[in-house]
Amino acid sequence: VLGKQSVFEIIKNNKKKIIEIAIEEAKFKELPKFFNTNKIIIKDKKFFTKIKEADFPDQGYAVCVEREKDKDIEKYLNAINNFIVLDNINDPRNIGSIIRTCVAMNMPNIVVEKKFFKHSNQLINKTASGATEYANIFRVSNIGNTLRYLIKKNYQLYGFDSNKTAETIKSKFWSTHNAFVFGAEDEGIKYNNKKLIDKLVKINTTDEMESLNVSNSVAAFLGIFDLLKN
């Protein structure tokens, strides 16, 4: 994991087993007290360029952690009222931005497809800016099967769609146990998954710009949710 904020949150949160922390020499003098200096190695800029998997600022900080185990959604159901479900969303920047927004807006339970999310994805972690440390991320093989499971557990499913048939959000529409499903920008929610949805809703936008980037849609909805929940 690279980037100052992401590395700081991993170390502060103290949930992952840290194998090694790599830092540029100039950064060593600036470290907060919560760093374990015994695990730190000093590296030059070439090292960070070499280990980066995408083009983003590494800021001279990196941490190597033990691989995470996947969370079992079944074990969390009793404690979770609301899920954000990402259907066919594959852009790592969108996924990272959504994770950051969900944590910030206190809806940190996110279902995502395994093929699009790896805990080691540097771009997701960098974009999330440390929020992955505070999110419950459930990696699943099949979104449709997960939606069917949530239905059996009495969750209501709400899908976000810019289509004219979707109901514009004007008031609280959700139940006590909910899954809010967002689809990819080009295709939306997959056809077979859309058939499982209890209600399709949309965020009111202008005629000139009928849809939003999916990460912006999640942010807009969570702002609406926070305003309307009481």
Side-chain angles (χ1 to χ4, degrees):
V1 179
L2 287 84
K4 180 178 179 179
Q5 193 61 38
S6 298
V7 170
F8 276 30
E9 295 303 331
I10 287 173
I11 294 168
K12 283 195 293 184
N13 201 27
N14 200 30
K15 286 185 177 180
K16 292 185 172 72
K17 183 178 179 181
I18 295 172
I19 298 169
E20 193 173 71
I21 305 166
I23 295 176
E24 279 191 60
E25 186 172 5
K27 310 291 184 183
F28 188 76
K29 299 174 184 178
E30 307 170 1
L31 292 181
K33 293 181 180 178
F34 55 76
F35 270 73
N36 182 348
T37 54
N38 293 329
K39 293 185 180 290
I40 291 175
I41 56 172
I42 304 298
K43 293 290 186 179
D44 60 18
K45 191 64 180 175
K46 290 181 181 179
F47 169 82
F48 294 93
T49 302
K50 184 177 179 180
I51 66 171
K52 269 199 297 189
E53 297 169 356
D55 184 21
F56 59 86
D58 57 73
Q59 299 168 301
Y61 293 89
V63 61
C64 179
V65 297
E66 192 174 79
R67 188 180 300 275
E68 284 187 68
K69 294 180 180 178
D70 283 339
K71 290 181 170 66
D72 184 351
I73 197 168
E74 184 177 355
K75 294 180 180 179
Y76 285 77
L77 285 184
N78 291 335
I80 294 176
N81 292 333
N82 300 298
F83 288 95
I84 296 291
V85 181
L86 308 184
D87 182 23
N88 204 31
I89 296 173
N90 57 22
D91 187 293
R93 286 187 172 87
N94 276 334
I95 294 171
S97 181
I98 288 168
I99 293 169
R100 184 175 184 178
T101 299
C102 287
V103 170
M105 299 300 290
N106 197 30
M107 200 179 287
N109 308 299
I110 304 159
V111 178
V112 65
E113 291 170 89
K114 283 184 178 181
K115 62 183 177 181
F116 299 138
F117 180 91
K118 293 182 179 179
H119 293 289
S120 60
N121 188 297
Q122 294 177 354
L123 191 50
I124 289 176
N125 283 303
K126 174 62 175 152
T127 309
S129 195
T132 51
E133 290 306 293
Y134 306 100
N136 292 317
I137 299 171
F138 302 95
R139 300 192 328 135
V140 300
S141 299
N142 187 291
I143 291 291
N145 289 342
T146 302
L147 294 178
R148 292 182 188 92
Y149 175 74
L150 290 173
I151 291 169
K152 288 181 182 179
K153 296 299 180 179
N154 298 316
Y155 281 77
Q156 297 292 304
L157 307 186
Y158 301 100
F160 286 76
D161 197 317
S162 59
N163 194 290
K164 291 180 180 179
T165 58
E167 182 180 311
T168 300
I169 301 171
K170 295 180 180 178
S171 59
K172 180 179 175 180
F173 60 85
W174 53 87
S175 183
T176 53
H177 292 83
N178 314 284
F180 302 106
V181 186
F182 292 83
E185 291 174 43
D186 50 349
E187 300 175 13
I189 300 169
K190 288 181 181 176
Y191 176 75
N192 287 336
N193 293 340
K194 190 179 284 190
K195 291 194 290 186
L196 302 171
I197 301 293
D198 293 295
K199 179 185 284 190
L200 289 174
V201 296
K202 62 181 177 181
I203 297 163
N204 192 31
T205 59
T206 63
D207 293 338
E208 292 78 15
M209 195 61 63
E210 294 182 355
S211 64
L212 297 170
N213 167 278
V214 65
S215 63
N216 291 334
S217 294
V218 174
F221 166 64
L222 291 181
I224 293 169
F225 181 90
D226 190 57
L227 286 171
L228 296 180
K229 65 184 179 183
N230 295 320

